Amino acid sequence: MTEELAHKYTALKVRLQELGSVAVAFSAGVDSTLLTYVAHAVLGDKMQAFTAQSDFVPARDAEAAAVFCQQHGITHTLVPFPILTVPHVQENPPDRCYYCKHALFARMQELAAAQGLQAVVDGSNLDDDGDFRPGHRALKELGIISPLHDAGMRKADIRTLSRELGLPTWDKPSFACLASRFPYGQPLTPEGLERVNTAEEFLLAHGFTQFRVRDHGKLARIEVPPQDIDRLLDHTLRTAITERLHELGYQYVTLDLQGYRTGAMNEVLGK
């Protein structure tokens, strides 16, 4: 561990100690796993992990969160959350994430207060300051604290520190919520979200790790990193993927030649 990263790690632990007791919004991703692990190491039973259960979250993520907490003796609460009943969310406007996060984190604050926990914290880091992220406005309005950000950590720091600490998520690919697979303005439904999830589970089962299946109604647009394009175009695999996505109701299955990138659905904003 470099001196700079060690300094950030110390700053993270000091920040958590200052908070006294916390509920961690735990998605089982790279950032929140590190935060959950360190918060437990620092605060012990003065911390709990909260994981949302909603149509936006693949079941595998909630299961992974539960397993991690059980392995480390962390008190874990699954928070059922009917996200599509939140005003404006189902219509999927460009600021959908604001309404979603405001409602979800407000609920987590209620649960944390009932448990006598002083703050709700999330895994945002410095790299999250870029791109179009209306959800951050909701976190700021609610007073949600981001200890990784406060400690000056970026995604590379989080991955390196996670590896140093032996966390299995250190090289886990990033996966945003399932709603991010749909163009803004395309209504969200439980059936559509499950279809995207099933399509992505199929790619996972065939060895792809970083990708997206973007849903454009009758058309599925697959993004994989440039180095995976040739493999996806293998005749046997391409045929299997096409047939499976046709079974799921997609009439057309396409490959995005730009490859995987975060925030692809934001590229149309301002144009």
Side-chain angles (χ1 to χ4, degrees):
M1 189 185 305
T2 66
E3 183 177 348
E4 180 183 6
L5 183 54
H7 176 75
K8 292 178 180 180
Y9 184 27
T10 297
L12 173 61
K13 291 187 285 187
V14 169
R15 182 69 176 114
L16 289 165
Q17 190 67 55
E18 290 173 348
L19 294 173
S21 61
V22 302
V24 181
F26 182 35
S27 68
V30 181
D31 306 327
S32 66
T33 296
L34 175 67
L35 181 59
T36 297
Y37 179 86
V38 178
H40 184 249
V42 172
L43 298 172
D45 61 6
K46 293 181 180 179
M47 70 79 62
Q48 295 183 29
F50 291 171
T51 300
Q53 282 184 306
S54 80
D55 290 320
F56 287 3
V57 181
R60 65 179 182 272
D61 289 344
E63 293 166 3
V67 169
F68 182 86
C69 288
Q70 184 178 28
Q71 290 173 339
H72 293 276
I74 298 169
T75 301
H76 183 228
T77 300
L78 290 171
V79 183
F81 194 69
I83 188 60
L84 292 178
T85 67
V86 174
H88 309 294
V89 168
Q90 190 166 16
E91 290 84 356
N92 194 23
D95 58 350
R96 176 204 68 243
C97 194
Y98 169 81
Y99 300 107
C100 174
K101 286 204 169 183
H102 200 288
L104 176 59
F105 277 84
R107 175 60 180 148
M108 288 188 175
Q109 284 183 319
E110 292 174 359
L111 294 172
Q115 296 294 325
L117 301 171
Q118 297 300 308
V120 175
V121 300
D122 88 312
S124 298
N125 63 80
L126 290 181
D127 287 339
D128 293 323
D129 290 347
D131 199 12
F132 174 68
R133 295 181 181 270
H136 283 200
R137 177 162 59 95
L139 300 182
K140 185 175 181 180
E141 288 179 2
L142 291 169
I144 304 301
I145 296 168
S146 304
L148 298 173
H149 190 285
D150 293 347
M153 289 193 179
R154 295 189 177 277
K155 179 69 78 172
D157 298 320
I158 293 165
R159 290 192 182 279
T160 300
L161 183 55
S162 295
R163 183 175 57 192
E164 293 279 345
L165 295 174
L167 299 179
T169 50
W170 74 269
D171 62 347
K172 183 177 181 178
S174 298
F175 273 88
C177 82
L178 292 173
S180 67
R181 312 305 195 260
F182 298 81
Y184 296 123
Q186 181 173 320
L188 303 175
T189 66
E191 296 78 15
L193 291 159
E194 181 55 32
R195 180 170 71 162
V196 162
N197 183 46
T198 302
E200 294 195 340
E201 291 278 4
F202 191 77
L203 292 179
L204 276 173
H206 283 79
F208 293 96
T209 56
Q210 186 72 81
F211 57 84
R212 296 287 189 271
V213 176
R214 308 289 188 183
D215 186 299
H216 297 266
K218 294 181 179 181
L219 183 147
R221 175 169 57 87
I222 300 174
E223 298 175 12
V224 296
Q227 64 269 22
D228 284 343
I229 288 178
D230 286 344
R231 187 168 93 79
L232 188 143
L233 291 177
D234 170 79
H235 175 74
T236 301
L237 183 56
R238 175 172 56 85
T239 300
I241 293 172
T242 301
E243 289 178 351
R244 181 62 180 128
L245 268 62
H246 280 166
E247 290 173 356
L248 293 174
Y250 292 108
Q251 187 171 351
Y252 306 102
V253 180
T254 67
L255 172 66
D256 191 319
L257 296 181
Q258 285 185 263
Y260 163 77
R261 63 240 185 243
T262 59
M265 292 306 197
N266 295 335
E267 293 170 354
V268 300
L269 297 177
K271 294 184 178 181

